Amino acid sequence: MADGAGVGAPLCSEQFGSGAARGCRAAEDGSLQWEAAGWRWWRLPRKTPATPTGPGGGADGAPGAAAQPLAGLGAVFLPQGFPDSVSADYLPYQLWDSVQAFASSLSGSLATHSVLLGLGVGNAKASVSAATATWLVKDSAGMLGRIVFAWWKGSKLDCNAKQWRLFADILNDVAMFLEIMAPIYPICFTMTVSTSNLAKCIVSVAGGATRAALTVHQARRNNMADVSAKDSSQETLVNLAGLLVSLLMLPLVSGCPSLSLGCFFLLTALHIYANYRAVRALVMETLNESRLQLVLKHFLQRGEILDPASANQMEPLWTGFQPSLSMSLGVPLHCLVSSVSELKQLVEGHQQPYLLRWTPSRHRVQVVLSQMAGPETVLRAATHGLVLGALQEDGPLPGELEELRSQVQAGPEKDGGTIVRETYQVLDKLFPEFLKGLQASGWKTEKHHLEVDEWRATWPLSPEKKVL
């Protein structure tokens, strides 16, 4: 075959993932000689067959020996097929996440040292039964808090995964601060460590749930299990490094409470900063209420659609700072109407599988969804609600909406229902263009992260032909 193809002529090629292909040529003795140029360590397969590449069986055509250890590390700590099997924001997020995990590990060592000191470790007068009782009370408070928080906020964690992720890590710092301060006030020790463990259990729920949501975002080849497993390996390695450093740090600071507290504040500052950078590095391609509001506002004012990267950079990250408009999607119909006349008035003019009530005085929008409502219907209903909210704010708007805003701000000459019906007509022209722009800019409109309740309704006057 070598004679037919000619010495050095390319015979075949191979590539790993979307990496650069390497060719194979025939050597003079008939063996195969593979090229190595352009290969990067994270694109190497986990096992590379050892084949002779020249007359002497040398490694002239194989990847350099120095790359082999790096290839092994990549196989251990990175998902298979990296970087093509994960989202583009995977590497910057994981790097900053590793920094915050290292800082948290060191802070946790200081907090554990303080808790053990408060329990009486090293004190001959300490009671084992009292320490056991304190530990049981602490764990019980945490277990109850875990259940209550999961029931209270569990359904909201997907919608604002970045915000809750940052909230969880800041709350974890607060919990460790309480543990460090607990031995200073022995009378309140049990209450302090119980409160701390309660906070840590909330952190466990919020952090674990949001980590799962981010794994769904990062996995691009139905490889969520692999991404999650490698994230666990990375975290284990960082925690191991943190433990080794803690063994050196604790003897130096244990005899000086002020030095220990100073180290804790320094590590906490690093922890919060690294968390902020990690969360800010994420680029979510699905719309929640904050991102939808940013994109819609930009579209109404400039006629342009923000791409996911730009919108994510502008998205607020602090949970609790809600927009002025209160919007509820999927509310029960019985909360909005109590008579046939009210139902007819609400249904009048609605040409989509949702009913919307706007209360301008309370800055509140309530949306009833039909049984036929799909993701695009929910997206349109949320857009409709945000457009109504924009009528009460400043900033340029398209001509028809500008006229409606002047009517709203002039006084209660028109009730909310009349404005809602008129904005329906505006949305019939505006929303298709907005939806097309979202899809062209890289947003995933077939799913969303809007907070939607489970209530659905049917009403006889609703047209059943317009279903999105």
Side-chain angles (χ1 to χ4, degrees):
M1 182 173 63
D3 295 338
V7 177
L11 298 176
C12 53
S13 65
E14 66 179 6
Q15 69 182 78
F16 186 68
S18 62
R22 68 168 182 170
C24 177
R25 300 175 182 275
E28 293 181 356
D29 62 350
S31 61
L32 298 179
Q33 185 174 10
W34 290 96
E35 296 176 352
W39 277 48
R40 291 182 287 181
W41 64 270
W42 56 72
R43 296 188 187 274
L44 289 175
R46 286 174 292 179
K47 295 181 180 179
T48 303
T51 56
T53 56
D60 296 335
Q68 296 302 319
L70 294 178
L73 287 176
V76 172
F77 294 107
L78 294 173
Q80 183 177 3
F82 173 86
D84 306 299
S85 61
V86 292
S87 59
D89 55 16
Y90 178 85
L91 188 59
Y93 174 81
Q94 293 300 126
L95 289 175
W96 283 111
D97 189 57
S98 298
V99 173
Q100 69 85 17
F102 180 75
S104 180
S105 178
L106 297 181
S107 299
S109 299
L110 294 173
T112 301
H113 176 268
S114 297
V115 171
L116 294 177
L117 183 65
L119 288 173
V121 174
N123 186 354
K125 298 181 181 180
S127 169
V128 176
S129 59
T132 303
T134 299
W135 200 269
L136 292 176
V137 171
K138 174 179 75 73
D139 285 351
S140 299
M143 292 175 186
L144 291 174
R146 185 192 302 268
I147 295 173
V148 172
F149 182 78
W151 161 75
W152 181 36
K153 292 292 185 180
S155 61
K156 297 176 172 56
L157 299 178
D158 279 303
C159 303
N160 298 292
K162 295 194 293 185
Q163 289 82 351
W164 282 109
R165 183 75 178 177
L166 187 59
F167 166 82
D169 285 300
I170 294 176
L171 184 60
N172 190 50
D173 290 330
V174 173
M176 289 190 289
F177 175 73
L178 290 176
E179 290 180 341
I180 288 178
M181 299 299 293
I184 300 178
Y185 304 100
I187 298 178
C188 304
F189 181 80
T190 300
M191 183 179 67
T192 303
V193 295
S194 298
T195 303
S196 171
N197 200 56
L198 172 64
K200 282 191 171 183
C201 286
I202 293 175
V203 169
S204 176
V205 174
T210 53
R211 176 64 254 188
L214 297 181
T215 299
V216 173
H217 159 70
Q218 291 176 333
R220 295 304 165 97
R221 290 184 179 172
N222 294 322
N223 57 340
M224 288 183 291
D226 187 27
V227 172
S228 179
K230 296 305 168 56
D231 177 73
S232 178
S233 296
Q234 296 168 23
E235 186 174 359
T236 301
L237 178 64
V238 171
N239 288 336
L240 178 61
L243 290 175
L244 295 177
V245 175
S246 297
L247 291 175
L248 301 176
M249 178 184 67
L250 287 177
L252 300 177
V253 302
S254 58
C256 182
S258 59
L259 181 59
S260 177
L261 197 59
C263 289
F264 172 77
F265 284 132
L266 181 63
L267 290 170
T268 298
L270 175 61
H271 181 241
I272 294 176
Y273 175 74
N275 265 294
Y276 176 82
R277 291 296 302 269
V279 173
R280 185 57 80 186
L282 290 169
V283 180
M284 311 291 284
E285 297 102 345
T286 52
L287 290 162
N288 62 3
E289 186 174 343
S290 296
R291 293 190 287 272
L292 178 59
Q293 186 176 31
L294 286 170
V295 175
L296 179 62
K297 183 177 181 180
H298 193 83
F299 175 73
L300 293 177
Q301 293 181 352
R302 304 186 182 182
E304 302 173 351
I305 300 291
L306 288 174
D307 58 39
S310 301
N312 277 267
Q313 286 297 313
M314 299 167 62
E315 182 183 7
L317 295 179
W318 303 107
T319 300
F321 292 90
Q322 300 296 335
S324 58
L325 180 69
S326 173
M327 183 166 59
S328 302
L329 300 172
V331 301
L333 182 59
H334 70 264
C335 290
L336 301 188
V337 296
S338 59
S339 65
V340 175
S341 60
E342 288 183 355
L343 177 60
K344 290 182 178 180
Q345 184 179 4
L346 183 64
V347 171
E348 183 183 354
H350 285 64
Q351 300 296 318
Q352 296 289 336
Y354 67 89
L355 303 176
L356 188 147
R357 170 173 286 179
W358 179 43
T359 309
S361 60
R362 298 183 180 181
H363 299 275
R364 184 173 65 183
V365 171
Q366 296 168 290
V367 179
V368 178
L369 295 174
S370 167
Q371 294 281 7
M372 304 176 295
E376 289 187 9
T377 295
V378 176
L379 186 60
R380 172 175 171 135
T383 302
H384 194 169
L386 293 175
V387 166
L388 291 170
L391 299 180
Q392 295 181 291
E393 299 175 355
D394 298 327
L397 291 175
E400 295 177 331
L401 291 178
E402 189 67 48
E403 294 177 5
L404 290 176
R405 178 164 65 182
S406 62
Q407 296 174 14
V408 170
Q409 296 178 349
E413 299 179 2
K414 288 188 177 181
D415 59 11
T418 303
I419 299 295
V420 168
R421 287 190 290 271
E422 293 186 11
T423 52
Y424 256 102
Q425 300 175 5
V426 176
L427 262 291
D428 285 338
K429 302 177 182 178
L430 189 69
F431 184 73
E433 180 184 354
F434 180 60
L435 181 62
K436 184 178 180 181
L438 289 174
Q439 296 168 345
S441 299
W443 292 99
K444 296 180 179 179
T445 58
E446 67 275 8
K447 57 183 179 179
H448 58 77
H449 278 132
L450 296 166
E451 186 178 341
V452 184
D453 208 344
E454 294 300 314
W455 288 95
R456 297 296 183 269
T458 59
W459 49 92
L461 300 179
S462 62
E464 300 192 1
K465 61 180 180 179
K466 291 193 175 183
V467 181
L468 296 177

PDB file of all heavy atoms in Angstrom, residues 444-455:
ATOM      1  N   LYS A 444     -33.118  30.617  23.435  1.00  0.00           N
ATOM      2  CA  LYS A 444     -33.898  29.392  23.298  1.00  0.00           C
ATOM      3  C   LYS A 444     -35.327  29.682  23.735  1.00  0.00           C
ATOM      4  O   LYS A 444     -35.614  29.759  24.935  1.00  0.00           O
ATOM      5  CB  LYS A 444     -33.292  28.276  24.138  1.00  0.00           C
ATOM      6  CG  LYS A 444     -31.897  27.870  23.698  1.00  0.00           C
ATOM      7  CD  LYS A 444     -31.341  26.750  24.563  1.00  0.00           C
ATOM      8  CE  LYS A 444     -29.958  26.325  24.092  1.00  0.00           C
ATOM      9  NZ  LYS A 444     -29.399  25.239  24.942  1.00  0.00           N
ATOM     10  N   THR A 445     -36.212  29.860  22.781  1.00  0.00           N
ATOM     11  CA  THR A 445     -37.592  30.220  23.092  1.00  0.00           C
ATOM     12  C   THR A 445     -38.511  29.006  23.233  1.00  0.00           C
ATOM     13  O   THR A 445     -39.668  29.164  23.605  1.00  0.00           O
ATOM     14  CB  THR A 445     -38.153  31.148  21.994  1.00  0.00           C
ATOM     15  OG1 THR A 445     -38.072  30.480  20.721  1.00  0.00           O
ATOM     16  CG2 THR A 445     -37.359  32.436  21.919  1.00  0.00           C
ATOM     17  N   GLU A 446     -37.973  27.812  22.945  1.00  0.00           N
ATOM     18  CA  GLU A 446     -38.814  26.620  23.111  1.00  0.00           C
ATOM     19  C   GLU A 446     -38.953  26.227  24.581  1.00  0.00           C
ATOM     20  O   GLU A 446     -39.741  25.351  24.922  1.00  0.00           O
ATOM     21  CB  GLU A 446     -38.245  25.448  22.305  1.00  0.00           C
ATOM     22  CG  GLU A 446     -36.914  24.917  22.796  1.00  0.00           C
ATOM     23  CD  GLU A 446     -35.720  25.691  22.252  1.00  0.00           C
ATOM     24  OE1 GLU A 446     -35.947  26.738  21.621  1.00  0.00           O
ATOM     25  OE2 GLU A 446     -34.572  25.245  22.458  1.00  0.00           O
ATOM     26  N   LYS A 447     -38.159  26.863  25.434  1.00  0.00           N
ATOM     27  CA  LYS A 447     -38.299  26.674  26.873  1.00  0.00           C
ATOM     28  C   LYS A 447     -37.960  27.989  27.556  1.00  0.00           C
ATOM     29  O   LYS A 447     -37.420  28.918  26.942  1.00  0.00           O
ATOM     30  CB  LYS A 447     -37.388  25.548  27.371  1.00  0.00           C
ATOM     31  CG  LYS A 447     -35.919  25.745  27.053  1.00  0.00           C
ATOM     32  CD  LYS A 447     -35.097  24.553  27.510  1.00  0.00           C
ATOM     33  CE  LYS A 447     -33.627  24.728  27.162  1.00  0.00           C
ATOM     34  NZ  LYS A 447     -32.811  23.573  27.632  1.00  0.00           N
ATOM     35  N   HIS A 448     -38.279  28.087  28.822  1.00  0.00           N
ATOM     36  CA  HIS A 448     -38.040  29.334  29.537  1.00  0.00           C
ATOM     37  C   HIS A 448     -37.825  29.033  31.011  1.00  0.00           C
ATOM     38  O   HIS A 448     -38.012  27.891  31.481  1.00  0.00           O
ATOM     39  CB  HIS A 448     -39.237  30.283  29.369  1.00  0.00           C
ATOM     40  CG  HIS A 448     -40.536  29.711  29.843  1.00  0.00           C
ATOM     41  ND1 HIS A 448     -40.881  29.626  31.183  1.00  0.00           N
ATOM     42  CD2 HIS A 448     -41.584  29.164  29.161  1.00  0.00           C
ATOM     43  CE1 HIS A 448     -42.055  29.072  31.312  1.00  0.00           C
ATOM     44  NE2 HIS A 448     -42.516  28.774  30.089  1.00  0.00           N
ATOM     45  N   HIS A 449     -37.409  30.053  31.753  1.00  0.00           N
ATOM     46  CA  HIS A 449     -37.256  29.959  33.200  1.00  0.00           C
ATOM     47  C   HIS A 449     -38.105  31.024  33.889  1.00  0.00           C
ATOM     48  O   HIS A 449     -37.683  31.626  34.881  1.00  0.00           O
ATOM     49  CB  HIS A 449     -35.783  30.086  33.593  1.00  0.00           C
ATOM     50  CG  HIS A 449     -35.026  28.811  33.457  1.00  0.00           C
ATOM     51  ND1 HIS A 449     -33.809  28.728  32.820  1.00  0.00           N
ATOM     52  CD2 HIS A 449     -35.325  27.544  33.843  1.00  0.00           C
ATOM     53  CE1 HIS A 449     -33.388  27.471  32.838  1.00  0.00           C
ATOM     54  NE2 HIS A 449     -34.287  26.739  33.450  1.00  0.00           N
ATOM     55  N   LEU A 450     -39.270  31.257  33.346  1.00  0.00           N
ATOM     56  CA  LEU A 450     -40.232  32.151  33.985  1.00  0.00           C
ATOM     57  C   LEU A 450     -40.947  31.390  35.100  1.00  0.00           C
ATOM     58  O   LEU A 450     -41.200  30.192  34.984  1.00  0.00           O
ATOM     59  CB  LEU A 450     -41.246  32.661  32.957  1.00  0.00           C
ATOM     60  CG  LEU A 450     -40.669  33.531  31.834  1.00  0.00           C
ATOM     61  CD1 LEU A 450     -41.682  33.682  30.714  1.00  0.00           C
ATOM     62  CD2 LEU A 450     -40.253  34.895  32.369  1.00  0.00           C
ATOM     63  N   GLU A 451     -41.251  32.106  36.157  1.00  0.00           N
ATOM     64  CA  GLU A 451     -41.926  31.477  37.291  1.00  0.00           C
ATOM     65  C   GLU A 451     -43.423  31.362  36.984  1.00  0.00           C
ATOM     66  O   GLU A 451     -44.132  32.361  36.920  1.00  0.00           O
ATOM     67  CB  GLU A 451     -41.704  32.305  38.557  1.00  0.00           C
ATOM     68  CG  GLU A 451     -42.251  31.658  39.807  1.00  0.00           C
ATOM     69  CD  GLU A 451     -41.980  32.486  41.039  1.00  0.00           C
ATOM     70  OE1 GLU A 451     -41.074  33.353  40.999  1.00  0.00           O
ATOM     71  OE2 GLU A 451     -42.686  32.278  42.047  1.00  0.00           O
ATOM     72  N   VAL A 452     -43.885  30.132  36.797  1.00  0.00           N
ATOM     73  CA  VAL A 452     -45.265  29.873  36.396  1.00  0.00           C
ATOM     74  C   VAL A 452     -45.886  28.890  37.377  1.00  0.00           C
ATOM     75  O   VAL A 452     -45.326  27.826  37.635  1.00  0.00           O
ATOM     76  CB  VAL A 452     -45.342  29.299  34.962  1.00  0.00           C
ATOM     77  CG1 VAL A 452     -46.781  29.134  34.523  1.00  0.00           C
ATOM     78  CG2 VAL A 452     -44.581  30.190  33.990  1.00  0.00           C
ATOM     79  N   ASP A 453     -47.062  29.251  37.891  1.00  0.00           N
ATOM     80  CA  ASP A 453     -47.784  28.342  38.770  1.00  0.00           C
ATOM     81  C   ASP A 453     -48.520  27.289  37.940  1.00  0.00           C
ATOM     82  O   ASP A 453     -48.584  27.386  36.708  1.00  0.00           O
ATOM     83  CB  ASP A 453     -48.769  29.123  39.643  1.00  0.00           C
ATOM     84  CG  ASP A 453     -49.036  28.421  40.972  1.00  0.00           C
ATOM     85  OD1 ASP A 453     -48.706  27.224  41.073  1.00  0.00           O
ATOM     86  OD2 ASP A 453     -49.569  29.060  41.901  1.00  0.00           O
ATOM     87  N   GLU A 454     -49.063  26.291  38.603  1.00  0.00           N
ATOM     88  CA  GLU A 454     -49.637  25.140  37.908  1.00  0.00           C
ATOM     89  C   GLU A 454     -51.104  25.309  37.520  1.00  0.00           C
ATOM     90  O   GLU A 454     -51.677  24.433  36.871  1.00  0.00           O
ATOM     91  CB  GLU A 454     -49.507  23.898  38.795  1.00  0.00           C
ATOM     92  CG  GLU A 454     -48.071  23.467  39.033  1.00  0.00           C
ATOM     93  CD  GLU A 454     -47.367  23.128  37.741  1.00  0.00           C
ATOM     94  OE1 GLU A 454     -47.947  22.407  36.904  1.00  0.00           O
ATOM     95  OE2 GLU A 454     -46.233  23.597  37.545  1.00  0.00           O
ATOM     96  N   TRP A 455     -51.749  26.400  37.904  1.00  0.00           N
ATOM     97  CA  TRP A 455     -53.169  26.575  37.591  1.00  0.00           C
ATOM     98  C   TRP A 455     -53.380  26.765  36.086  1.00  0.00           C
ATOM     99  O   TRP A 455     -52.674  27.536  35.443  1.00  0.00           O
ATOM    100  CB  TRP A 455     -53.737  27.774  38.334  1.00  0.00           C
ATOM    101  CG  TRP A 455     -53.910  27.550  39.805  1.00  0.00           C
ATOM    102  CD1 TRP A 455     -53.034  27.881  40.795  1.00  0.00           C
ATOM    103  CD2 TRP A 455     -55.029  26.949  40.454  1.00  0.00           C
ATOM    104  NE1 TRP A 455     -53.525  27.528  42.020  1.00  0.00           N
ATOM    105  CE2 TRP A 455     -54.762  26.946  41.845  1.00  0.00           C
ATOM    106  CE3 TRP A 455     -56.230  26.409  40.001  1.00  0.00           C
ATOM    107  CZ2 TRP A 455     -55.647  26.431  42.773  1.00  0.00           C
ATOM    108  CZ3 TRP A 455     -57.116  25.894  40.922  1.00  0.00           C
ATOM    109  CH2 TRP A 455     -56.826  25.899  42.300  1.00  0.00           C
TER     110      TRP A 455
END
